[in-house]
Amino acid sequence: GAGVSQSPSNKVTEKGKDVELRCDPISGHTALYWYRQSLGQGLEFLIYFQGNSAPDKSGLPSDRFSAERTGGSVSTLTIQRTQQEDSAVYLCASSFRGTSGRIGANVLTFGAGSRLTVL
Amino acid sequence: KQEVTQIPAALSVPEGENLVLNCSFTDSAIYNLQWFRQDPGKGLTSLLLIQSSQREQTSGRLNASLDKSSGRSTLYIAASQPGDSATYLCAVNYGGSQGNLIFGKGTKLSVKP
């Protein structure tokens, strides 16, 4: 697609429910990233996928959080047993990897985000 | 601990002024540094990316500089316009996992007509 698409744009859920957030990256981008932005806070890294390599999960805050990327394209971020502190905007980005001389290489393109509210 | 700090947190200027946004980072062994803008309720838009081997990058009225030795980057905006009003974020990539950008909390810029 022309940009990074995220769905849903808004999600309100009750504490304890599971939620799934979807990200459709730019076609041809091998790298995909999930970040979280809480009110008044900076962006917090969650997880990173690059091609067929094992994902970097070092930013996931707890084992309630997981993500997968199917076929090297669409990614789903799953939050189980949601808590109120999970309320945030979840941002997805994609990029293509390349040398510094290649225009656009390593530049992240972000989606508009999924705003999650846990009541 | 690798940290990125942006000062000031908020800035208000009259239209037409030239301005500088500051970003500092604690570890100078960076891979690259990016400046983003974020409009309310929107995602981030990449403005400029500076590789560790570069000193500056320019795009239109924007100029970003990088001084690794002092752990600083600046974003210079010339002849500011009301449409420049947004939050500007600085992000440092330390390589290794290239996905792990460390973001500052941003500078909220307001350009008054």
Side-chain angles (χ1 to χ4, degrees), chain A residues 14-73:
Chain A
E14 294 179 347
K15 178 182 173 181
K17 300 282 190 182
D18 298 351
V19 297
E20 287 190 348
L21 307 177
R22 176 189 167 102
C23 174
D24 196 347
I26 291 175
S27 178
H29 281 194
T30 56
L32 186 147
Y33 319 73
W34 282 98
Y35 286 84
R36 176 168 74 173
Q37 187 173 34
S38 303
L39 188 64
Q41 301 296 314
L43 270 77
E44 176 188 11
F45 167 75
L46 298 176
I47 189 168
Y48 161 66
F49 297 89
Q50 173 57 53
N52 295 322
S53 302
D56 176 357
K57 305 178 182 180
S58 61
L60 295 178
S62 77
D63 59 6
R64 295 187 296 105
F65 288 73
S66 63
E68 63 177 21
R69 188 179 185 191
T70 55
S73 180

Side-chain angles (χ1 to χ4, degrees), chain A residues 6-11 20-22 113-115:
Chain A
Q6 291 189 246
S7 62
S9 56
N10 276 287
K11 176 72 176 179
E20 287 190 348
L21 307 177
R22 176 189 167 102
S114 292
R115 181 177 296 278

Side-chain angles (χ1 to χ4, degrees), chain B residues 18-83:
Chain B
N18 303 323
L19 59 99
V20 175
L21 306 180
N22 297 293
C23 172
S24 61
F25 42 94
T26 53
D27 184 344
S28 61
I30 72 171
Y31 182 77
N32 62 44
L33 182 147
Q34 296 187 48
W35 283 93
F36 295 86
R37 98 172 245 168
Q38 185 173 31
D39 295 281
K42 304 278 182 68
L44 279 68
T45 301
S46 181
L47 298 174
L48 291 163
L49 180 150
I50 310 178
Q51 300 292 345
S52 62
S53 58
Q54 298 173 324
R55 297 297 297 268
E56 65 178 337
Q57 282 285 345
T58 298
S59 175
R61 295 183 292 108
L62 305 180
N63 176 279
S65 68
L66 175 64
D67 184 344
K68 287 195 304 179
S69 62
S70 64
R72 292 180 183 176
S73 175
T74 62
L75 179 66
Y76 174 83
I77 302 177
S80 58
Q81 302 171 358

